[in-house]
Amino acid sequence: MNKRSRRKVLVLALVFGVSIATVLGLTALEENMLFFFSPTQVNAGEAPQERSFRVGGLVVPGSINRLPDSLTVQFEVTDNAENMTVEYTGILPDLFREGEGIVAIGSFAAGGRFVADEVLAKHDENYMPPEVADALKASGQYDYSGKM
Amino acid sequence: MWNWIQRFSSPKHFYSMSVPLIKWFAIAALVIGLYGLYLGLFVAPTDYKQGDSYRIIFIHVPAAWLAMFIYMVMAVSAGIGIIWRIRLADMVAAASAPIGASFTFLALVTGSLWGKPMWGTYWIWDARLTSMLILLFLYLGYMALQSAIDDQRSADKASGLLAIVGAVNIPIIHYSVEWWNTLHQGASVAKFDAPSIHIDMLIPLLLMAVAFKLFYATMVLVRTRNESLYRDRNRRWVREIVEKL
């Protein structure tokens, strides 16, 4: 093997080795890379009880309840299987809507209520003008699922 | 074949051949970029959910695509430089790094500015944002290695290996939104299904992507020329150019 092809083999071996190591590393991390828990997982007791964690789901239409004389708001999130109630005090992001995906960061307070310190709206990958959205809704093709 | 490649990849030959290319790439980038911006900011319809805020997509997405594209150019050039010892390839890699770092930074900043009103936060450690931040660190690491080692060949070898190893991050950035639950939305354009973006928004987006690529082509040629002058400062072809000034 001459020098040039030896360098070629070395570089290819390096790329291959690092790729394998990364795949193994990421597979091992999979569990910890979980960004949020679903309401089903939370109701099944899989979420940590002591420290804070994230809950992700869709805001249940009609469930938003603003408490009078405060910024506190209560709403339900769902993964289309189970629901849970989230309580939050503060300003909600622009994309917070009924039926849209959100991620809430918080922990269980006394009485088993989930109190969020932060509510983030999750945007989906769909971009279209309002007229197109209206047309899709009218024809029943609009995707309300707001994929999480 | 080998002699032919060596002759055409000589810095001296590149230095004179690149002059007309730079001019045409720059003009094309300017024209397509201005037209894309006009379509994106004035002609494209507002979004049904985000209103006008979505228009940052015409900067953010082309910048992020270009940041990844430049990294692949850098890693492949570094590999060519290491395996075949083509000096021009090492120069292209070194010239690309600061441009790539700038566009990574631009993608991170524009995303952050959009994230605050839309998501409710400037930053979140989800897989997409974190892997993009790692890309910025890879660029900065490459530049640091380049300037830390005095001997040019050792510097190219060390930083080139970093560039090649770091290329594993590129598919991670792209697939991060599919492999993990992320706050960042999935791909709207770069996927096998039909794009999830209206055609009147897609056209300016693609025009901007082309304009950004042409801008990079212009900048990498200019910077590689400078790099070749600097590295060959003691060679005869550079001295001849200097004497003519």
Side-chain angles (χ1 to χ4, degrees), chain B residues 24-78:
Chain B
W24 289 112
F25 281 147
I27 292 172
L30 190 70
V31 170
I32 298 176
L34 285 177
Y35 185 56
L37 265 186
Y38 167 73
L39 284 186
L41 298 184
F42 298 104
V43 178
T46 53
D47 183 62
Y48 70 127
K49 262 185 221 160
Q50 305 176 47
D52 279 324
S53 315
Y54 91 95
R55 290 183 199 277
I56 204 162
I57 196 179
F58 298 119
I59 301 295
H60 174 73
V61 172
W65 281 344
L66 185 59
M68 295 194 281
F69 177 80
I70 295 178
Y71 196 90
M72 287 318 290
V73 171
M74 193 174 96
V76 169
S77 316

Short mmCIF file of all heavy atoms in Angstrom, two decimals, chain B residues 24-78:
data_model
loop_
_atom_site.label_atom_id
_atom_site.label_comp_id
_atom_site.label_asym_id
_atom_site.label_seq_id
_atom_site.Cartn_x
_atom_site.Cartn_y
_atom_site.Cartn_z
N TRP B 24 -19.20 37.10 -11.55
CA TRP B 24 -20.52 36.59 -11.93
C TRP B 24 -21.28 36.02 -10.74
O TRP B 24 -22.50 36.20 -10.64
CB TRP B 24 -20.39 35.57 -13.07
CG TRP B 24 -20.03 36.26 -14.34
CD1 TRP B 24 -18.84 36.15 -15.01
CD2 TRP B 24 -20.81 37.22 -15.06
NE1 TRP B 24 -18.85 36.98 -16.11
CE2 TRP B 24 -20.05 37.65 -16.16
CE3 TRP B 24 -22.09 37.76 -14.87
CZ2 TRP B 24 -20.52 38.59 -17.07
CZ3 TRP B 24 -22.55 38.69 -15.77
CH2 TRP B 24 -21.76 39.10 -16.87
N PHE B 25 -20.58 35.34 -9.84
CA PHE B 25 -21.25 34.83 -8.64
C PHE B 25 -21.81 35.99 -7.82
O PHE B 25 -22.93 35.93 -7.32
CB PHE B 25 -20.28 34.01 -7.78
CG PHE B 25 -20.07 32.60 -8.29
CD1 PHE B 25 -18.84 31.96 -8.13
CD2 PHE B 25 -21.10 31.91 -8.91
CE1 PHE B 25 -18.64 30.67 -8.58
CE2 PHE B 25 -20.91 30.62 -9.37
CZ PHE B 25 -19.68 30.00 -9.21
N ALA B 26 -21.03 37.06 -7.69
CA ALA B 26 -21.46 38.20 -6.87
C ALA B 26 -22.70 38.85 -7.48
O ALA B 26 -23.67 39.14 -6.78
CB ALA B 26 -20.33 39.21 -6.74
N ILE B 27 -22.68 39.04 -8.81
CA ILE B 27 -23.84 39.68 -9.46
C ILE B 27 -25.08 38.80 -9.31
O ILE B 27 -26.16 39.27 -8.93
CB ILE B 27 -23.53 39.94 -10.96
CG1 ILE B 27 -22.45 41.02 -11.08
CG2 ILE B 27 -24.80 40.35 -11.71
CD1 ILE B 27 -21.94 41.21 -12.49
N ALA B 28 -24.92 37.48 -9.55
CA ALA B 28 -26.06 36.56 -9.45
C ALA B 28 -26.60 36.54 -8.02
O ALA B 28 -27.82 36.56 -7.82
CB ALA B 28 -25.65 35.16 -9.89
N ALA B 29 -25.70 36.53 -7.03
CA ALA B 29 -26.15 36.50 -5.63
C ALA B 29 -26.96 37.75 -5.32
O ALA B 29 -28.01 37.68 -4.67
CB ALA B 29 -24.94 36.38 -4.69
N LEU B 30 -26.48 38.90 -5.79
CA LEU B 30 -27.16 40.17 -5.51
C LEU B 30 -28.54 40.21 -6.15
O LEU B 30 -29.55 40.54 -5.50
CB LEU B 30 -26.29 41.33 -6.00
CG LEU B 30 -26.75 42.71 -5.57
CD1 LEU B 30 -26.53 42.91 -4.08
CD2 LEU B 30 -26.02 43.80 -6.35
N VAL B 31 -28.59 39.85 -7.45
CA VAL B 31 -29.87 39.93 -8.18
C VAL B 31 -30.89 38.96 -7.59
O VAL B 31 -32.03 39.34 -7.25
CB VAL B 31 -29.64 39.65 -9.68
CG1 VAL B 31 -30.97 39.50 -10.40
CG2 VAL B 31 -28.80 40.75 -10.30
N ILE B 32 -30.48 37.68 -7.44
CA ILE B 32 -31.42 36.67 -6.93
C ILE B 32 -31.81 36.98 -5.49
O ILE B 32 -32.96 36.85 -5.09
CB ILE B 32 -30.82 35.26 -7.06
CG1 ILE B 32 -30.58 34.95 -8.54
CG2 ILE B 32 -31.73 34.22 -6.43
CD1 ILE B 32 -29.89 33.63 -8.78
N GLY B 33 -30.83 37.46 -4.69
CA GLY B 33 -31.11 37.78 -3.30
C GLY B 33 -32.10 38.92 -3.16
O GLY B 33 -33.05 38.84 -2.37
N LEU B 34 -31.93 39.98 -3.96
CA LEU B 34 -32.85 41.12 -3.87
C LEU B 34 -34.25 40.72 -4.32
O LEU B 34 -35.26 41.07 -3.70
CB LEU B 34 -32.34 42.29 -4.72
CG LEU B 34 -31.17 43.07 -4.12
CD1 LEU B 34 -30.69 44.15 -5.08
CD2 LEU B 34 -31.56 43.69 -2.78
N TYR B 35 -34.32 39.92 -5.41
CA TYR B 35 -35.62 39.48 -5.90
C TYR B 35 -36.29 38.57 -4.87
O TYR B 35 -37.49 38.71 -4.59
CB TYR B 35 -35.44 38.76 -7.25
CG TYR B 35 -36.75 38.37 -7.91
CD1 TYR B 35 -37.72 39.34 -8.17
CD2 TYR B 35 -37.01 37.05 -8.25
CE1 TYR B 35 -38.92 38.99 -8.75
CE2 TYR B 35 -38.20 36.69 -8.84
CZ TYR B 35 -39.16 37.66 -9.10
OH TYR B 35 -40.35 37.31 -9.68
N GLY B 36 -35.51 37.65 -4.29
CA GLY B 36 -36.05 36.74 -3.27
C GLY B 36 -36.55 37.51 -2.06
O GLY B 36 -37.62 37.22 -1.51
N LEU B 37 -35.79 38.52 -1.62
CA LEU B 37 -36.20 39.32 -0.47
C LEU B 37 -37.48 40.09 -0.78
O LEU B 37 -38.38 40.17 0.06
CB LEU B 37 -35.10 40.33 -0.11
CG LEU B 37 -34.10 39.93 0.96
CD1 LEU B 37 -33.20 41.11 1.28
CD2 LEU B 37 -34.80 39.44 2.22
N TYR B 38 -37.55 40.65 -2.01
CA TYR B 38 -38.75 41.39 -2.40
C TYR B 38 -39.97 40.47 -2.36
O TYR B 38 -41.00 40.79 -1.77
CB TYR B 38 -38.56 42.00 -3.80
CG TYR B 38 -39.83 42.51 -4.42
CD1 TYR B 38 -40.43 43.67 -3.94
CD2 TYR B 38 -40.45 41.81 -5.45
CE1 TYR B 38 -41.62 44.12 -4.49
CE2 TYR B 38 -41.63 42.25 -6.00
CZ TYR B 38 -42.21 43.40 -5.52
OH TYR B 38 -43.40 43.84 -6.06
N LEU B 39 -39.84 39.28 -2.99
CA LEU B 39 -40.95 38.33 -2.98
C LEU B 39 -41.30 37.91 -1.56
O LEU B 39 -42.47 37.83 -1.17
CB LEU B 39 -40.59 37.08 -3.80
CG LEU B 39 -40.60 37.18 -5.31
CD1 LEU B 39 -40.36 35.80 -5.92
CD2 LEU B 39 -41.92 37.73 -5.81
N GLY B 40 -40.26 37.66 -0.76
CA GLY B 40 -40.49 37.15 0.60
C GLY B 40 -41.12 38.18 1.52
O GLY B 40 -41.99 37.86 2.32
N LEU B 41 -40.65 39.43 1.43
CA LEU B 41 -41.10 40.44 2.39
C LEU B 41 -42.34 41.18 1.92
O LEU B 41 -43.10 41.68 2.74
CB LEU B 41 -39.97 41.43 2.68
CG LEU B 41 -38.72 40.83 3.32
CD1 LEU B 41 -37.72 41.91 3.64
CD2 LEU B 41 -39.07 40.03 4.57
N PHE B 42 -42.56 41.29 0.61
CA PHE B 42 -43.68 42.11 0.14
C PHE B 42 -44.76 41.32 -0.58
O PHE B 42 -45.92 41.69 -0.55
CB PHE B 42 -43.17 43.23 -0.78
CG PHE B 42 -42.23 44.17 -0.08
CD1 PHE B 42 -40.86 44.11 -0.30
CD2 PHE B 42 -42.72 45.11 0.81
CE1 PHE B 42 -40.00 44.96 0.35
CE2 PHE B 42 -41.88 45.97 1.48
CZ PHE B 42 -40.51 45.89 1.25
N VAL B 43 -44.39 40.24 -1.28
CA VAL B 43 -45.35 39.55 -2.13
C VAL B 43 -45.94 38.32 -1.44
O VAL B 43 -47.14 38.08 -1.51
CB VAL B 43 -44.71 39.15 -3.48
CG1 VAL B 43 -45.71 38.40 -4.34
CG2 VAL B 43 -44.20 40.38 -4.20
N ALA B 44 -45.11 37.54 -0.72
CA ALA B 44 -45.59 36.30 -0.11
C ALA B 44 -46.71 36.60 0.88
O ALA B 44 -46.67 37.62 1.57
CB ALA B 44 -44.43 35.59 0.59
N PRO B 45 -47.73 35.72 0.94
CA PRO B 45 -48.86 35.97 1.85
C PRO B 45 -48.44 35.82 3.33
O PRO B 45 -47.43 35.20 3.61
CB PRO B 45 -49.86 34.88 1.46
CG PRO B 45 -49.04 33.80 0.84
CD PRO B 45 -47.88 34.46 0.18
N THR B 46 -49.24 36.38 4.23
CA THR B 46 -48.97 36.18 5.65
C THR B 46 -49.34 34.75 6.02
O THR B 46 -50.10 34.10 5.33
CB THR B 46 -49.79 37.14 6.52
OG1 THR B 46 -51.15 37.00 6.15
CG2 THR B 46 -49.36 38.58 6.32
N ASP B 47 -48.79 34.28 7.15
CA ASP B 47 -49.06 32.91 7.59
C ASP B 47 -50.34 32.89 8.41
O ASP B 47 -50.67 33.84 9.11
CB ASP B 47 -47.89 32.39 8.42
CG ASP B 47 -48.09 30.95 8.83
OD1 ASP B 47 -48.18 30.10 7.93
OD2 ASP B 47 -48.16 30.68 10.04
N TYR B 48 -51.08 31.75 8.33
CA TYR B 48 -52.39 31.68 9.00
C TYR B 48 -52.26 31.71 10.50
O TYR B 48 -53.20 32.09 11.19
CB TYR B 48 -53.17 30.45 8.52
CG TYR B 48 -52.65 29.11 8.98
CD1 TYR B 48 -53.48 28.20 9.62
CD2 TYR B 48 -51.34 28.74 8.76
CE1 TYR B 48 -53.02 26.97 10.02
CE2 TYR B 48 -50.87 27.52 9.16
CZ TYR B 48 -51.71 26.62 9.80
OH TYR B 48 -51.24 25.41 10.20
N LYS B 49 -51.12 31.29 11.05
CA LYS B 49 -50.99 31.27 12.50
C LYS B 49 -50.03 32.34 13.00
O LYS B 49 -50.26 32.98 14.02
CB LYS B 49 -50.45 29.92 12.95
CG LYS B 49 -51.52 28.97 13.43
CD LYS B 49 -50.84 27.72 13.97
CE LYS B 49 -51.60 26.49 13.54
NZ LYS B 49 -50.77 25.30 13.62
N GLN B 50 -48.91 32.52 12.28
CA GLN B 50 -47.84 33.37 12.81
C GLN B 50 -47.92 34.81 12.31
O GLN B 50 -47.13 35.64 12.73
CB GLN B 50 -46.48 32.83 12.40
CG GLN B 50 -46.24 31.41 12.78
CD GLN B 50 -44.91 30.93 12.24
OE1 GLN B 50 -43.90 31.60 12.35
NE2 GLN B 50 -44.91 29.77 11.64
N GLY B 51 -48.85 35.08 11.38
CA GLY B 51 -48.91 36.42 10.82
C GLY B 51 -47.63 36.73 10.06
O GLY B 51 -47.13 35.88 9.33
N ASP B 52 -47.11 37.94 10.26
CA ASP B 52 -45.92 38.35 9.51
C ASP B 52 -44.62 37.88 10.16
O ASP B 52 -43.57 37.93 9.53
CB ASP B 52 -45.89 39.88 9.36
CG ASP B 52 -46.78 40.34 8.21
OD1 ASP B 52 -46.83 39.63 7.20
OD2 ASP B 52 -47.41 41.40 8.34
N SER B 53 -44.69 37.41 11.40
CA SER B 53 -43.46 37.01 12.10
C SER B 53 -42.74 35.88 11.38
O SER B 53 -41.53 35.71 11.54
CB SER B 53 -43.76 36.56 13.52
OG SER B 53 -44.65 37.44 14.13
N TYR B 54 -43.50 35.09 10.61
CA TYR B 54 -42.87 33.92 9.97
C TYR B 54 -41.83 34.34 8.94
O TYR B 54 -41.00 33.55 8.53
CB TYR B 54 -43.94 33.04 9.31
CG TYR B 54 -44.22 33.38 7.87
CD1 TYR B 54 -43.57 32.69 6.85
CD2 TYR B 54 -45.10 34.40 7.52
CE1 TYR B 54 -43.80 33.02 5.52
CE2 TYR B 54 -45.33 34.73 6.22
CZ TYR B 54 -44.68 34.03 5.21
OH TYR B 54 -44.90 34.36 3.90
N ARG B 55 -41.88 35.64 8.48
CA ARG B 55 -41.01 36.06 7.38
C ARG B 55 -39.52 35.95 7.70
O ARG B 55 -38.69 36.03 6.80
CB ARG B 55 -41.36 37.49 6.96
CG ARG B 55 -42.71 37.56 6.27
CD ARG B 55 -43.03 38.94 5.77
NE ARG B 55 -44.46 39.09 5.54
CZ ARG B 55 -45.07 38.70 4.41
NH1 ARG B 55 -44.36 38.21 3.43
NH2 ARG B 55 -46.36 38.82 4.27
N ILE B 56 -39.19 35.75 8.96
CA ILE B 56 -37.78 35.56 9.32
C ILE B 56 -37.27 34.24 8.71
O ILE B 56 -36.07 34.04 8.57
CB ILE B 56 -37.61 35.58 10.85
CG1 ILE B 56 -36.18 35.97 11.21
CG2 ILE B 56 -37.98 34.25 11.48
CD1 ILE B 56 -36.01 36.42 12.63
N ILE B 57 -38.21 33.38 8.29
CA ILE B 57 -37.83 32.11 7.66
C ILE B 57 -36.95 32.35 6.43
O ILE B 57 -36.09 31.54 6.11
CB ILE B 57 -39.11 31.32 7.25
CG1 ILE B 57 -38.79 29.85 6.96
CG2 ILE B 57 -39.78 31.93 6.04
CD1 ILE B 57 -40.02 29.03 6.58
N PHE B 58 -37.16 33.49 5.73
CA PHE B 58 -36.42 33.73 4.49
C PHE B 58 -34.94 34.05 4.76
O PHE B 58 -34.14 34.05 3.83
CB PHE B 58 -37.08 34.86 3.69
CG PHE B 58 -38.49 34.53 3.27
CD1 PHE B 58 -39.56 35.29 3.69
CD2 PHE B 58 -38.74 33.40 2.49
CE1 PHE B 58 -40.86 34.95 3.34
CE2 PHE B 58 -40.04 33.06 2.14
CZ PHE B 58 -41.10 33.83 2.56
N ILE B 59 -34.60 34.33 6.00
CA ILE B 59 -33.19 34.48 6.38
C ILE B 59 -32.74 33.25 7.17
O ILE B 59 -31.69 32.66 6.89
CB ILE B 59 -32.98 35.74 7.26
CG1 ILE B 59 -33.41 36.99 6.51
CG2 ILE B 59 -31.52 35.84 7.70
CD1 ILE B 59 -32.59 37.31 5.28
N HIS B 60 -33.58 32.84 8.12
CA HIS B 60 -33.19 31.78 9.06
C HIS B 60 -32.91 30.45 8.36
O HIS B 60 -31.87 29.85 8.58
CB HIS B 60 -34.31 31.62 10.09
CG HIS B 60 -34.13 30.48 11.03
ND1 HIS B 60 -33.19 30.50 12.04
CD2 HIS B 60 -34.73 29.26 11.12
CE1 HIS B 60 -33.25 29.36 12.71
NE2 HIS B 60 -34.17 28.59 12.17
N VAL B 61 -33.83 30.01 7.53
CA VAL B 61 -33.69 28.68 6.92
C VAL B 61 -32.54 28.64 5.90
O VAL B 61 -31.71 27.73 5.95
CB VAL B 61 -35.04 28.21 6.34
CG1 VAL B 61 -34.87 26.93 5.54
CG2 VAL B 61 -36.04 27.99 7.46
N PRO B 62 -32.44 29.63 4.97
CA PRO B 62 -31.28 29.60 4.08
C PRO B 62 -29.96 29.67 4.84
O PRO B 62 -28.99 29.01 4.45
CB PRO B 62 -31.47 30.85 3.20
CG PRO B 62 -32.92 31.11 3.22
CD PRO B 62 -33.39 30.71 4.57
N ALA B 63 -29.91 30.43 5.93
CA ALA B 63 -28.67 30.51 6.72
C ALA B 63 -28.33 29.16 7.33
O ALA B 63 -27.18 28.72 7.30
CB ALA B 63 -28.80 31.57 7.81
N ALA B 64 -29.34 28.47 7.88
CA ALA B 64 -29.08 27.17 8.51
C ALA B 64 -28.67 26.14 7.46
O ALA B 64 -27.72 25.37 7.68
CB ALA B 64 -30.33 26.70 9.25
N TRP B 65 -29.36 26.12 6.31
CA TRP B 65 -28.97 25.20 5.24
C TRP B 65 -27.53 25.46 4.81
O TRP B 65 -26.73 24.54 4.65
CB TRP B 65 -29.88 25.38 4.02
CG TRP B 65 -31.22 24.72 4.15
CD1 TRP B 65 -31.59 23.77 5.05
CD2 TRP B 65 -32.38 24.98 3.34
NE1 TRP B 65 -32.90 23.43 4.85
CE2 TRP B 65 -33.40 24.13 3.82
CE3 TRP B 65 -32.63 25.81 2.26
CZ2 TRP B 65 -34.67 24.12 3.24
CZ3 TRP B 65 -33.89 25.79 1.69
CH2 TRP B 65 -34.90 24.95 2.17
N LEU B 66 -27.22 26.75 4.63
CA LEU B 66 -25.89 27.09 4.15
C LEU B 66 -24.82 26.72 5.18
O LEU B 66 -23.75 26.23 4.82
CB LEU B 66 -25.80 28.59 3.82
CG LEU B 66 -24.48 29.03 3.20
CD1 LEU B 66 -24.21 28.30 1.90
CD2 LEU B 66 -24.47 30.54 2.95
N ALA B 67 -25.14 26.91 6.46
CA ALA B 67 -24.17 26.57 7.51
C ALA B 67 -23.80 25.09 7.42
O ALA B 67 -22.62 24.72 7.55
CB ALA B 67 -24.76 26.88 8.88
N MET B 68 -24.79 24.23 7.16
CA MET B 68 -24.51 22.79 7.05
C MET B 68 -23.80 22.47 5.73
O MET B 68 -22.89 21.65 5.70
CB MET B 68 -25.81 21.99 7.15
CG MET B 68 -26.46 22.12 8.52
SD MET B 68 -27.75 20.90 8.77
CE MET B 68 -29.09 21.62 7.88
N PHE B 69 -24.23 23.16 4.67
CA PHE B 69 -23.60 22.95 3.36
C PHE B 69 -22.11 23.30 3.42
O PHE B 69 -21.26 22.55 2.94
CB PHE B 69 -24.32 23.81 2.32
CG PHE B 69 -23.74 23.75 0.94
CD1 PHE B 69 -24.01 22.69 0.10
CD2 PHE B 69 -22.89 24.76 0.48
CE1 PHE B 69 -23.46 22.63 -1.18
CE2 PHE B 69 -22.35 24.71 -0.79
CZ PHE B 69 -22.63 23.65 -1.63
N ILE B 70 -21.80 24.46 4.01
CA ILE B 70 -20.40 24.89 4.10
C ILE B 70 -19.59 23.88 4.91
O ILE B 70 -18.45 23.58 4.57
CB ILE B 70 -20.30 26.30 4.72
CG1 ILE B 70 -20.95 27.34 3.81
CG2 ILE B 70 -18.84 26.67 4.98
CD1 ILE B 70 -20.94 28.74 4.38
N TYR B 71 -20.22 23.33 5.96
CA TYR B 71 -19.46 22.37 6.77
C TYR B 71 -19.09 21.15 5.92
O TYR B 71 -17.96 20.65 6.01
CB TYR B 71 -20.25 21.93 8.01
CG TYR B 71 -19.31 21.28 8.99
CD1 TYR B 71 -18.65 22.02 9.95
CD2 TYR B 71 -19.00 19.92 8.88
CE1 TYR B 71 -17.73 21.45 10.78
CE2 TYR B 71 -18.07 19.34 9.71
CZ TYR B 71 -17.44 20.10 10.67
OH TYR B 71 -16.50 19.53 11.48
N MET B 72 -20.03 20.69 5.09
CA MET B 72 -19.72 19.53 4.24
C MET B 72 -18.62 19.87 3.24
O MET B 72 -17.72 19.06 3.00
CB MET B 72 -20.97 19.04 3.50
CG MET B 72 -21.98 18.32 4.40
SD MET B 72 -21.23 17.18 5.58
CE MET B 72 -20.65 15.88 4.50
N VAL B 73 -18.67 21.08 2.66
CA VAL B 73 -17.61 21.50 1.74
C VAL B 73 -16.27 21.49 2.49
O VAL B 73 -15.26 20.99 1.99
CB VAL B 73 -17.89 22.91 1.19
CG1 VAL B 73 -16.70 23.44 0.41
CG2 VAL B 73 -19.13 22.90 0.30
N MET B 74 -16.29 22.03 3.71
CA MET B 74 -15.06 22.12 4.50
C MET B 74 -14.51 20.73 4.82
O MET B 74 -13.32 20.46 4.67
CB MET B 74 -15.37 22.88 5.79
CG MET B 74 -14.18 23.32 6.57
SD MET B 74 -14.69 24.35 7.97
CE MET B 74 -14.73 23.12 9.26
N ALA B 75 -15.40 19.81 5.26
CA ALA B 75 -14.95 18.47 5.64
C ALA B 75 -14.41 17.72 4.42
O ALA B 75 -13.36 17.07 4.50
CB ALA B 75 -16.10 17.69 6.29
N VAL B 76 -15.12 17.82 3.28
CA VAL B 76 -14.66 17.11 2.07
C VAL B 76 -13.33 17.70 1.59
O VAL B 76 -12.40 16.95 1.26
CB VAL B 76 -15.74 17.17 0.97
CG1 VAL B 76 -15.18 16.67 -0.35
CG2 VAL B 76 -16.96 16.34 1.37
N SER B 77 -13.22 19.04 1.58
CA SER B 77 -11.94 19.65 1.17
C SER B 77 -10.81 19.24 2.09
O SER B 77 -9.71 18.94 1.63
CB SER B 77 -12.01 21.18 1.18
OG SER B 77 -13.18 21.63 0.62
N ALA B 78 -11.10 19.22 3.40
CA ALA B 78 -10.06 18.82 4.35
C ALA B 78 -9.63 17.38 4.09
O ALA B 78 -8.44 17.06 4.13
CB ALA B 78 -10.56 18.99 5.78
#
